[in-house]
């Protein structure tokens, strides 16, 4: 995509560039961003794993739900404001988009400050609430103490990242996110080993890298014809917050339930020792790597869907949806094969030769690989309905995989199958969520075809 465009040129570009070329052009930087971000998230797991303590590795897994909560807030404001911006920019209303951009950004930053204060004041009870065992808790508290100061920057960065890509400027979003991720990977071993900070050093590296991403993303809003963040455009009205919630609640629900699901997984694993918590934490991060590529693909697809839906180009929305869902499914099916075969080697990368962790993690990862190809449809449906403003349906679908399907599964299966039930809970929930999406996909594609027929007359 050309880096300098007026709003009118960008609208023409988004609604006239041939598909699937447009989706691929916008997806490449978002896929890169998500893959590097997943490395970013895995860096702490990897370098802490080199300490050689299952309890230290477990602490990173225990802290993950809190990171998911912060991400949930950032995605809510980022997707909520970004979805609205894409639609109104598609309809030619740049003034409305400017107000929404600043409202989403400043609101998220203020919430991030509140989360930081709460996390610092309640680190001790928070560590146990997140699923720590007595042996993991000291490491978890040390990790949280350095992680929380980065909360406002992480949350606001996610808002800026999403607003940029919904404007079709995924390149600037990629620069901001990847720069922070690379810095985190560099700083992790320095703080953990050179300065002898252990798990606290991993958290400090994460917080500093988030601050760097924040300022680079903020600079990106001032380039490429993007909407700038200005205090005088901050418009905290009920109508604007309603729009943010309309487009952001599915993300909040999905990420919030992801956090709660991880806590439940930690609690279910805890009955089998620190090795089980560490193993399931590693599997979660490994799966995040594969899923992040699909999410990045979807993030490149979302502005295409938003702009064209706002411009009533329903034929293009349908074509983009089919291209994204089919391509992503094929990709995940291909990735599942080496993932299944190399499962023990992948687990050892993060824990060394701890036999219990490798054994538990290998079986859990292989279960996940069996249902990997079912994930893209759920992601595509959720992103599509969220982008076009169907909040209720998007929320219903986004809360299936790690919500109303996962919770009864993680509650019941361990009571029947023991540790195997813990390992198989997420794949079974993924399969059920896939089946739930099928009828909604069929109906939606039919609606787009009929709406396009009406527009063509």
């Amino acid at each position: 995509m050309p880096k300098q465009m007026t709003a009118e040129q960008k609208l023409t570009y988004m609604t006239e560039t041939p598909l699937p070329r447009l989706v691929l052009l916008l997806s490449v930087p978002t896929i890169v961003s998500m893959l590097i971000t997943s490395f970013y998230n895995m860096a702490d797991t990897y370098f802490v794993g080199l300490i050689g303590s299952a309890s230290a590795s477990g602490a990173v897994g225990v802290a993950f739900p809190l990171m998911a909560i912060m991400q949930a807030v950032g995605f809510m404001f980022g997707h909520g404001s970004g979805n609205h911006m894409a639609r109104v920019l598609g309809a030619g209303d740049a003034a409305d988009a400017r107000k929404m951009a600043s409202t989403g950004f400043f609101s998220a930053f203020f919430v991030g400050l509140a989360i930081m204060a709460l996390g610092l004041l309640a680190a001790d009870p928070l560590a146990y609430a997140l699923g720590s065992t007595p042996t993991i808790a000291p490491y978890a508290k040390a990790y949280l103490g350095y992680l929380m100061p980065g909360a406002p920057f992480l949350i606001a960065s996610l808002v800026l990242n999403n607003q940029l890509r919904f404007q079709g400027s995924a390149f600037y979003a990629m620069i901001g996110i990847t720069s922070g991720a690379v810095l985190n990977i560099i700083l992790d071993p320095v703080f953990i080993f050179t300065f002898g900070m252990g798990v606290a050093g991993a958290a400090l590296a994460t917080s500093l890298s988030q601050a760097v991403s924040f300022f680079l993303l903020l600079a990106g809003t001032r380039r490429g014809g993007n909407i700038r963040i200005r205090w005088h455009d901050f418009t905290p009205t009920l109508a604007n917050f309603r729009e943010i919630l309309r487009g952001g609640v599915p993300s909040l629900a999905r990420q919030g339930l992801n956090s709660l699901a991880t806590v439940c997984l930690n609690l279910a694993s805890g009955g089998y020792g620190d090795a089980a918590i560490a193993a399931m934490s590693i599997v979660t991060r490994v799966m995040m790597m594969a899923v992040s590529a699909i999410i990045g693909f979807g993030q490149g697809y979302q502005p295409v869907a938003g702009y064209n839906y706002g411009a009533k180009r329903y034929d293009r929305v349908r074509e983009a949806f089919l291209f994204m869902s089919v391509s992503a499914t094929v990709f995940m099916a291909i990735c599942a094969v080496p993932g299944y075969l190399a499962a023990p080697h992948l687990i050892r990368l993060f824990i060394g030769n701890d036999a219990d962790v490798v054994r538990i993690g290998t079986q859990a990862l292989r279960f996940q690989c069996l249902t990997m190809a079912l994930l893209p449809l759920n992601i595509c449906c959720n992103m599509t309905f969220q982008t076009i403003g169907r909040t209720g349906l998007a929320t219903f679908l986004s809360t299936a995989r790690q919500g109303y399907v996962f919770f009864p599964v993680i509650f019941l299966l361990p009571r029947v199958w023991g540790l195997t039930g813990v390992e198989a809970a997420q794949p079974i929930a993924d399969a059920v969520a896939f089946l739930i999406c099928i009828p909604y996909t069929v109906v939606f594609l039919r609606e787009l075809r009929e709406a396009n027929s009406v527009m063509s007359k």
Side-chain angles (χ1 to χ4, degrees), residues 302-320:
Q302 275 185 295
V304 178
Y307 264 87
N308 285 279
Y309 194 83
K312 302 183 187 302
R313 292 296 308 274
Y314 303 118
D315 57 326
R316 289 173 61 83
V317 177
R318 189 175 191 274
E319 183 180 352

Side-chain angles (χ1 to χ4, degrees), residues 14 19-20 22-28 30-31 86 165-166 170 294-309 316-325 376 379-388 444-445 448:
M14 297 294 286
L19 292 168
L22 178 61
V23 176
L24 290 173
L25 285 172
L26 295 179
S27 294
V28 169
T30 56
I31 290 172
R165 67 179 184 79
F166 271 109
I294 303 306
I295 293 175
F297 194 11
Q299 288 178 345
Y301 152 80
Q302 275 185 295
V304 178
Y307 264 87
N308 285 279
Y309 194 83
R316 289 173 61 83
V317 177
R318 189 175 191 274
E319 183 180 352
F321 179 95
L322 289 171
F323 174 71
M324 189 255 170
S325 57
I379 293 171
C380 188
C381 285
N382 176 32
M383 286 184 164
T384 300
F385 294 128
Q386 184 176 3
T387 299
I388 66 176
F444 176 65
L445 293 175
L448 289 176

Side-chain angles (χ1 to χ4, degrees), residues 57-269:
S57 295
V60 178
V62 163
F64 182 74
L66 185 58
M67 288 285 288
I69 289 173
M70 291 188 282
Q71 290 172 346
V73 174
F75 282 131
M76 182 191 73
F77 284 103
H79 286 165
S81 59
N83 283 317
H84 180 81
M85 289 167 64
R87 291 196 303 272
V88 298
L89 287 171
D93 191 350
D96 189 357
R98 286 194 295 270
K99 292 180 180 179
M100 182 57 72
S102 294
T103 302
F105 171 80
F106 286 112
S107 299
F109 193 84
F110 295 148
V111 173
L113 290 173
I115 291 175
M116 177 187 72
L118 181 62
L120 291 174
L121 292 173
D124 189 71
L126 186 59
Y128 284 100
L130 292 172
S132 288
T133 63
T135 49
I136 288 176
Y139 295 99
K141 287 184 284 186
Y143 190 85
L144 293 174
Y146 282 93
L147 182 68
M148 296 315 300
F153 299 106
L154 168 63
I155 293 171
S157 293
L158 290 172
V159 175
L160 293 171
N161 174 50
N162 283 288
Q163 288 182 352
L164 284 169
R165 67 179 184 79
F166 271 109
Q167 294 175 72
S169 294
F171 174 80
Y172 295 108
M174 179 187 69
I175 294 298
I177 292 295
T178 56
S179 297
V182 170
L183 180 62
N184 185 65
I185 294 170
I186 294 171
L187 292 180
D188 259 338
V190 174
F191 290 142
I192 294 172
F193 302 111
T194 304
F195 293 163
M197 294 179 66
V199 293
L204 178 58
T206 298
S207 291
L208 290 176
S209 61
Q210 287 164 358
V212 170
S213 287
F214 169 82
F215 288 108
L216 289 174
L217 288 164
L218 192 60
T221 65
R222 305 178 68 84
R223 300 178 62 82
N226 292 310
I227 292 173
R228 296 185 177 187
I229 302 297
R230 294 188 173 96
W231 177 255
H232 66 77
D233 285 326
F234 178 46
T235 314
T237 64
L238 182 61
N240 279 340
F241 285 130
R242 186 183 298 116
E243 280 299 310
I244 289 174
L245 291 175
R246 182 186 178 198
V249 162
S251 295
L252 178 65
R254 181 179 63 251
Q255 291 295 122
L257 287 172
N258 180 39
S259 174
L260 185 56
T262 305
V263 172
C264 291
L265 188 61
N266 288 336
L267 292 172
S269 303

